[in-house]
């Protein structure tokens, strides 16, 4: 009798462990994200950025949001850099695959701020754009491209971060032709017209 109770307990523990593993590996959200991508690293400055996109998905913590963030480091990207307010900028553009190319769906305004370091690591200005989901530009594949820029005292330095893409469509929608893996929109090259006041870092 004690042996069968032990077997029952072992079987129950195994079942709970397998159930937990199965539930744990389910997707927790509907987002695609690229974090801490280096877009510039020279002349005493390293600039990194985040880009992300999310779409509302029933039963999952999600929203129709696109994200961007800018970080500044010393050259080599090892140590977070404190830069004055207005010396960092970020913007996010949402693109939709039209079947043959990436077309702009929505773009945020520039967001400016400082950069620095706290107990969680480097931080900088971040942008969250409610892009409206598939209803705003049509069902299909979407991705977010972030612009991550830091003023070096004489010009803006940085570049683009691509989130990757995901399908945002109504339930039952027939799938479109998917973009090629690694496909991304053409890089944006614009910079803010704003020029920060001369300050010492």
């Amino acid at each position: 009798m004690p042996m069968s109770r032990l077997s029952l307990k072992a079987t129950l523990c195994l079942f709970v462990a397998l159930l937990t593993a199965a539930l744990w590996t389910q997707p927790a959200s509907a987002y695609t994200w690229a974090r801490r991508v280096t877009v510039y690293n020279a002349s005493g400055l390293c600039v990194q950025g985040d880009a992300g996109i999310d779409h509302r998905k029933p039963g999952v913590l999600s929203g129709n949001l696109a994200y961007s963030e800018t970080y500044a480091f010393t050259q080599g990207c090892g140590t977070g850099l404190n830069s004055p307010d207005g010396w960092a900028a970020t913007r996010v553009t949402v693109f939709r695959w039209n079947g043959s190319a990436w077309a702009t769906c929505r773009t945020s305004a520039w967001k400016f701020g400082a950069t620095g370091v706290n107990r969680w690591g480097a931080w900088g200005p971040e942008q969250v754009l409610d892009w409206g989901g598939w209803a705003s530009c049509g069902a299909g594949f979407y991705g977010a491209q972030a612009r991550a820029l830091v003023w070096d005292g004489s010009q803006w330095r940085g570049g683009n971060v691509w989130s990757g893409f995901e399908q945002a469509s109504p339930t039952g929608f027939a799938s479109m032709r998917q973009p090629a893996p690694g496909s991304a929109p053409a890089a944006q090259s614009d910079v803010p017209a704003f020029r920060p006041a001369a300050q010492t870092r």
Side-chain angles (χ1 to χ4, degrees):
M1 189 68 159
M3 195 57 137
S4 69
R5 280 189 187 162
L6 186 59
S7 295
L8 182 60
K9 281 184 181 179
T11 303
L12 184 59
C13 286
L14 179 62
F15 174 74
V16 169
L18 290 173
L19 182 61
T20 301
L23 292 174
W24 193 265
T25 58
Q26 295 300 312
S29 62
Y31 63 83
T32 301
W33 205 290
R35 294 185 190 273
R36 298 292 175 92
V37 176
T38 300
V39 293
Y40 180 81
N41 185 18
S43 304
L45 175 66
C46 167
V47 180
Q48 293 184 342
D50 291 350
I53 190 163
D54 192 7
H55 68 279
R56 196 168 309 285
K57 186 174 177 183
V60 175
L61 179 61
S62 59
N64 296 320
L65 302 173
Y67 311 88
S68 67
E69 189 163 3
T70 297
Y71 309 92
F73 297 86
T74 56
Q75 186 172 348
C77 310
T79 304
L81 191 60
N82 294 311
S83 65
D85 189 26
W87 280 43
T90 191
R91 186 180 73 184
V92 63
T93 301
V94 174
F95 288 89
R96 176 182 174 270
W97 181 251
N98 66 17
S100 59
W102 290 102
T104 301
C105 173
R106 297 277 185 274
T107 301
S108 74
W110 286 103
K111 180 154 184 197
F112 299 92
T115 63
V117 182
N118 59 27
R119 64 182 177 180
W120 295 283
W123 55 268
E126 61 183 322
Q127 182 76 259
V128 179
L129 172 69
D130 184 343
W131 63 276
W134 66 266
S136 63
C137 294
F141 293 92
Y142 285 86
Q145 187 176 77
R147 287 284 284 156
L149 301 173
V150 175
W151 184 254
D152 71 357
S154 62
Q155 65 182 3
W156 290 105
R157 303 286 189 176
N160 302 295
V161 181
W162 175 237
S163 66
F165 59 84
E166 60 187 34
Q167 187 171 4
S169 307
T171 305
F173 177 78
S175 182
M176 295 174 61
R177 194 179 99 206
Q178 182 172 326
S183 171
Q188 301 172 67
S189 59
D190 58 323
V191 297
F194 173 73
R195 296 291 184 264
Q199 296 183 45
T200 304
R201 286 188 187 270

